[in-house]
Amino acid sequence: MFANGLSYLAIPGPSVMPDRVLRAMHRPAPNIYTGELHAITRGVIPDLKSVARTEHSVAIYIANGHGVWEAALSNVIGEGDTVLVLATGRFCEGWGEMAKGLGAKVETLDFGNSNAVDLAQVEAALKADTKGRIKAVLTVLVDTSTGVKNDIKGIRAAIDAAGHNGLLMCDCIASLGCDAYHMDDWGVDITVAASQKGLMTPPGIGFVWFNAKADAVRETMPRVSSYWDWRPRIDPDEYYKFFNGTAPTHHIYGLREALDMIAEEGLENTWARHEGLAKAIWAAIDAWSTEGPMRINVADPAARSHAVTSLRLEEGQGDALRAWCEQKMGVVLGVGLGRSPASAFLRFGHMGHVSGHMVLGFLGTVDAGLKALGIPHGSGALEAASAVLADAAGADISLP
Ligand SMILES: *Cc1c(COP(=O)(O)O)cnc(C)c1O
């Protein structure tokens, strides 16, 4: 009934694509052998390094997030190597399964579905690895199934405290450009991300950032598939080798525009926007949770992502609320991925091209859905969210 008008995809990826990005991609196929596309590709490299806060190398792949998981692993992990997976939900587990498929031995520390990685357990596991069998530690900045955010700097400190030499590999697919991330300062050796979440570009290209320590491990690999090899992908002068075939032409134009938008806002401001929006969302959930079944998945605010929030209701209520919001109001919320029973869960994606009025809009929609479906809930959610945004935005306006 109220679904006509602008619809809103509030799932945790793909995220809302800005009109500017769509317009930048709406063009005929360009020449891939010479000309503008080469210059634009060269130009996105420093900006890609900047969003990961690294001075090291970045390789671009025609691949989604799963593809860059494999790309990163393929350069440093071979048959019989051991990796340590720090599981805080479905996604890091999935990366570990991919390592297993490549012949690695996978050890997992499982921190459940609502808590960040426990640094003491990481340190203890690495201390116990006296033979140095663990070649890499696999972790996620944000696990998109649970909304858990990990302390990546702390994980590096735990590795160092154990005196361990393993690589630290971090999946930032959910939240690069949303949650603060400092690859070099935090001592991450390999970072992976993809285009379709905080980077606001359609799914289809992914990125692997790697430092000299990671590349030294790459050097010792007996073989690396020529498609996944990151080495040819850092020299755009060899353009056909750089993409190992045809360039992802339109994605490069879209990405250029998206990176311009982040640069115009300022990456720190982008992070601050996501933080303010996330706090407004949590304030609404806190209000709803005072009565009835709704619970935010991660209790500790320090361990919550600013890009995605996972909630739990009673069995069936997540599905019902999602269907109501989509069918009645044109707002699409995320499914309870990797959780059981999935029908009890709900995820809000608030990554990328998301403003204050969009967040107030989907929160108001959820509030109406709770009422329409008769799901008990505390009142004042919208009041609480708008108070957070009013406070964070302040009153400094310019008048004509
Ligand atoms: C989305 C996501 C992935 C998977 O990316 P795809 O593009 O769907 O393959 C992996 N890890 C995290 C943390 C994600 O959010």
Side-chain angles (χ1 to χ4, degrees), residues 64-66 69 91 142 144 171 173-174 196-197:
N64 61 14
H66 285 72
W69 274 353
F91 280 92
V142 166
T144 323
D171 167 344
I173 298 170
Q196 77 272 25
K197 299 187 186 180

Side-chain angles (χ1 to χ4, degrees), residues 124-177:
L126 292 171
K127 268 198 181 126
D129 181 34
T130 49
K131 296 211 173 75
R133 283 175 315 104
I134 294 170
K135 200 169 178 190
V137 175
L138 269 49
T139 187
V140 291
L141 174 62
V142 166
D143 194 294
T144 323
S145 62
T146 55
V148 168
K149 177 167 72 183
N150 286 309
D151 174 4
I152 304 300
K153 188 180 180 187
I155 292 172
R156 163 51 69 193
I159 297 171
D160 291 349
H164 199 281
N165 195 38
L167 293 171
L168 177 55
M169 299 176 65
C170 185
D171 167 344
C172 292
I173 298 170
S175 62
L176 194 76

Side-chain angles (χ1 to χ4, degrees), residues 298-387:
V298 181
D300 175 8
R304 288 180 194 159
S305 170
H306 298 160
V308 51
T309 300
S310 181
L311 330 169
R312 191 198 161 97
L313 294 111
E314 275 165 17
E315 190 161 356
Q317 290 176 339
D319 276 355
L321 198 52
R322 200 168 41 250
W324 193 90
C325 291
E326 181 168 359
Q327 291 163 25
K328 304 289 187 185
M329 304 284 264
V331 172
V332 183
L333 303 171
V335 298
L337 193 72
R339 311 297 306 281
S340 181
S343 69
F345 287 89
L346 194 62
R347 290 177 307 151
F348 299 154
H350 36 100
M351 50 185 58
H353 194 55
V354 183
S355 63
H357 72 74
M358 292 163 76
V359 162
L360 288 175
F362 89 69
L363 292 173
T365 299
V366 171
D367 197 70
L370 291 166
K371 289 176 169 56
L373 295 170
I375 299 173
H377 60 281
S379 59
L382 280 250
E383 280 287 323
S386 87

Side-chain angles (χ1 to χ4, degrees), residues 73 77 79 83 94-106 138:
L73 291 168
I77 303 297
E79 190 99 37
V83 299
W95 201 7
E97 285 158 13
M98 188 163 276
K100 195 170 170 207
L102 293 169
K105 297 191 187 99
V106 177
L138 269 49

